[in-house]
């Protein structure tokens, strides 16, 4: 039953008997007249549907196709288009469910997706994709019926930020690998991709004003393997690719700790003494020099270039594990660089240690601790900050599933699928409730992770769990339901060639 396998679970699903829609060779996609973005989403959907169905699936402006629908029309009738049988329509307006919400109505005559904004249409398209049989993910034609179950879905996310993170510093991932990852996460309505671009082992983004940062592959990786870096053109291309999939890239420049690679490339950032390259996974030994003016010239240049390449609202400044930076220096540093980032038009994200610096309420702390009392994070929330939730014992994709998992670390414990699923972002930190939570993010640190298959094995099936934690209302979430729905996704991953962990907690088909 495809309907019951949608992840993340939609807000409201009302089945309608006898109203299943069958795609056919004559099925067209009709998009909002005059909207280039709706048209683009229509083309994206057609690209998803063509390989397995073998149908042509033309994409047309709804009015050019002779549609008589108006913005006032609601529900399934909007999919009925005189002159064009069997259409999927993507229309803007009349959704009433916020910037990412959508209504998806299916009758025997067609499917209509309606949303107030393109992001909602895109989310609706991902739901439609999951309503079709798993074979829809086949890269080659499959001779079968393509049925969408009849009924009405109304959906919107609980939190606006649902993210995943790749660590390019400990082992680099190529632009093509990152694009493949973007394609996968967008299917689960993950709308932010955080890239950890700099660390002790390597610097992975070209900075024109400090070119030695990426000389020699931007340093090495953990165990001396996995160097590489993104040119500015590659980064800009990735950002655009992600944006077409409604994924916002969040670049991270980690400071004042995790800076050894920069201090290898530029001894002047290290008091004139070249730092030694490091390929071990240790943390907490490096720091920028808080009293040196060149530190701030460096930050200014890097932030200016990265901000200019990044259309999204956020720039992540790291701030974690700065054990080699005394607390007073840490505050001095953060209080000086936060205004630099804001002057370049970006909202500051920082690992939750940033709350030690009493930052302004505009700064978003990313919580990576475990549940309980965190007075500095709670104080930031009380001052009006919104918190991004990445509890390490729930959302960390680099933790092993069990002691037997070949990849991964275990400092935050083992995280099986159920652990990744059964937690609530609004009850992790005392004093940080629903209204203080911006959303959730699942970080994948890459000390042990190299290939795309490694990335996938750690990500699936835990990322879909975190996606549902971030999207679905608490009353829509249920472990028994989730594990059954998740099982139905394995054939999709297999058809797409996505590796995943065969957790014994899931009744795989
Ligand atoms: C802690 S989580 C780190 C990273 C490591 C990670 C490994 C955080 C903000 N910092 O430097 O890669 O543990 O799990």
């Amino acid at each position: 039953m495809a309907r019951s396998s949608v992840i993340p679970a939609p807000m409201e699903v009302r089945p309608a008997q006898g109203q299943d829609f069958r795609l056919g060779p004559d099925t067209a996609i009709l998009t909002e007249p005059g909207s280039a973005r709706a048209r683009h989403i229509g083309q994206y959907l057609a690209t998803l549907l063509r390989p397995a169905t073998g149908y042509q699936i033309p994409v047309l402006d709804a009015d050019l196709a002779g549609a008589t629908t108006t913005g006032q029309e609601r529900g399934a009738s909007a999919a009925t288009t005189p002159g064009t049988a069997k259409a999927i329509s993507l229309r803007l307006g009349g959704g009433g469910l916020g910037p990412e919400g959508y209504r998806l109505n299916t009758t025997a005559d067609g499917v209509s997706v309606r949303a107030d904004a393109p992001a909602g249409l895109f989310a609706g398209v991902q739901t439609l994709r999951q309503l079709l049989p798993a074979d829809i993910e086949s890269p080659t034609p499959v001779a079968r019926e393509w049925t969408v179950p009849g009924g009405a879905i109304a959906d919107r996310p609980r939190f606006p930020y649902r993210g995943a993170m790749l660590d390019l510093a400990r082992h680099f991932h190529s632009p093509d690998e990152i694009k493949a990852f973007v394609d996968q996460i967008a299917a689960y309505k993950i709308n932010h991709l955080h890239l950890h671009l700099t660390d002790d082992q390597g610097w992975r983004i070209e900075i024109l004003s400090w070119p030695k940062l990426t000389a020699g592959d931007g340093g090495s990786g953990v165990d001396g393997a996995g160097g590489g870096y993104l040119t500015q053109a590659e980064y800009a291309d990735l950002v655009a690719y992600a944006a077409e999939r409604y994924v916002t890239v969040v670049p991270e420049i980690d400071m004042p700790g995790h800076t050894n690679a920069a201090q290898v490339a530029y001894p002047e950032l290290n008091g004139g003494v070249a730092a030694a390259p490091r390929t071990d996974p240790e943390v907490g030994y490096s720091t920028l020099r808080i009293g040196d003016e060149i530190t701030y010239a460096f930050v200014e240049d890097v932030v200016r270039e990265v901000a200019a390449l990044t259309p999204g609202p956020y720039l992540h400044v790291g701030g974690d594990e700065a054990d080699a930076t005394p607390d007073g220096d840490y505050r001095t540093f953060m209080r000086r660089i936060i205004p630099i980032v804001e002057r370049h038009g970006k909202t500051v994200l920082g690992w939750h240690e940033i709350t030690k610096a009493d930052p302004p309420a505009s700064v978003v702390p990313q919580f990576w601790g475990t549940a309980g009392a965190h007075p500095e994070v709670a104080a930031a929330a009380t001052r009006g900050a919104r918190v991004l939730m990445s509890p390490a014992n729930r959302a960390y994709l680099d933790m092993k599933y069990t002691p037997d998992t070949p990849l991964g670390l275990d400092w935050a414990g083992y995280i099986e699928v159920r652990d990744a699923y059964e937690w609530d972002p609004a009850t992790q930190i005392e004093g940080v409730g629903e209204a203080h939570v911006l959303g959730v993010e699942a970080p994948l640190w890459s000390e042990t992770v190299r290939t795309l298959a490694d990335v996938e094995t750690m990500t699936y099936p835990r990322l879909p769990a975190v996606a549902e934690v971030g999207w679905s209302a608490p009353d829509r979430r249920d472990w028994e339901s989730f594990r059954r729905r998740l099982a139905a996704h394995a054939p999709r991953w297999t058809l797409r060639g996505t590796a995943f962990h065969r957790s014994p907690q899931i009744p795989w088909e």
Side-chain angles (χ1 to χ4, degrees), residues 203-294:
W203 185 284
R204 310 300 185 202
I205 175 82
E206 178 185 28
I207 302 295
L208 300 174
S209 54
W210 294 74
K212 287 192 261 177
L213 291 168
T214 49
D217 259 358
S220 189
V222 167
D223 298 334
Y229 69 95
L230 299 172
T231 65
Q232 292 204 352
E234 286 169 335
Y235 176 82
D237 176 60
L238 261 179
V239 165
Y241 185 90
E244 286 176 13
R245 286 146 187 82
Y246 292 83
V247 172
T248 300
V249 170
V250 178
E252 179 186 349
I253 306 297
D254 203 349
M255 47 198 175
H258 292 277
T259 52
N260 191 68
Q263 293 167 314
V264 171
Y266 286 99
E268 47 273 56
L269 293 175
N270 198 40
V273 188
R278 296 277 296 251
T279 58
D280 59 274
E282 252 349 274
V283 297
Y285 56 84
S286 59
T287 180
L288 291 172
R289 292 169 62 94
I290 308 307
D292 291 4
E293 277 312 301
I294 192 170

Side-chain angles (χ1 to χ4, degrees), residues 165 167 170 196 199-201 252 254 258 281-284 316 318-321 350-353 366-369 390 392 396 398-399 408-412 443-447:
M165 188 200 87
D167 171 7
R170 272 56 174 273
H196 183 76
D199 214 301
D200 291 319
Q201 299 84 354
E252 179 186 349
D254 203 349
H258 292 277
E282 252 349 274
V283 297
H316 201 304
D320 58 315
E321 301 171 323
W351 298 106
H352 73 257
E353 290 99 312
Q366 181 171 9
F367 176 70
W368 62 281
S390 301
Y396 264 38
D398 66 317
M399 291 301 123
L409 307 175
D410 60 9
W411 63 262
L444 176 55
W445 301 98
S446 65
E447 287 92 337

Side-chain angles (χ1 to χ4, degrees), residues 25 168 349:
L168 304 192
L349 250 161

